[in-house]
Amino acid sequence: MKYLTNITTTITVSALLFLCSLQVVNANELFTLKNLERERATLISDFLSTKLDGQQKQQRLQQRQRQLADMERMVLRDERLLSTKSSMVENAFKEYEKTFLVHAGAEQQMSAMNQWLNSVNVTNEIVLSAKAGYR
């Protein structure tokens, strides 16, 4: 009886370790894509920031755009993402123009921020015709 309990305990511990290792592998598979998401969010945050003057904003956007281009290349070359059945990966490639701002912008001959504004349907005409006020 004691022998059977030890085997059951060993099998249970082995199964738990296996499940934990699967979670670590899945987290590592999405590492590059999650970093890209954070870098893109930082670029957009800097663009929308009211705390930066024009020159500071331009310098930061150029730096962030270079970093984002590197991150996009890493994601596009990451073979692990191809074998992942994640909705995050599926959505990232389905929404290519919003995920890969630098690359999609280069294809359209525009900056990453212009690409983002275009993908969320914000144009100069819409901004200029907007009225300031409370809603």
Side-chain angles (χ1 to χ4, degrees), residues 40 43-49 57 61 65 97-102 104-105 108 110-128:
R40 186 181 58 178
L43 174 80
I44 294 169
S45 176
D46 285 348
F47 177 72
L48 297 175
S49 175
K57 189 177 284 194
L61 291 177
Q65 192 165 315
E97 291 79 18
K98 292 179 184 173
T99 305
F100 302 98
L101 293 175
V102 175
Q108 301 294 322
M110 57 177 83
S111 71
M113 288 319 307
N114 285 338
Q115 174 62 32
W116 179 73
L117 289 169
N118 191 33
S119 69
V120 294
N121 295 323
V122 175
T123 63
N124 286 340
E125 293 80 24
I126 290 173
V127 172
L128 292 173

Side-chain angles (χ1 to χ4, degrees), residues 1-12:
M1 186 69 145
K2 185 176 182 179
Y3 177 73
L4 189 58
T5 305
N6 287 341
I7 290 175
T8 305
T9 304
T10 303
I11 291 173
T12 304

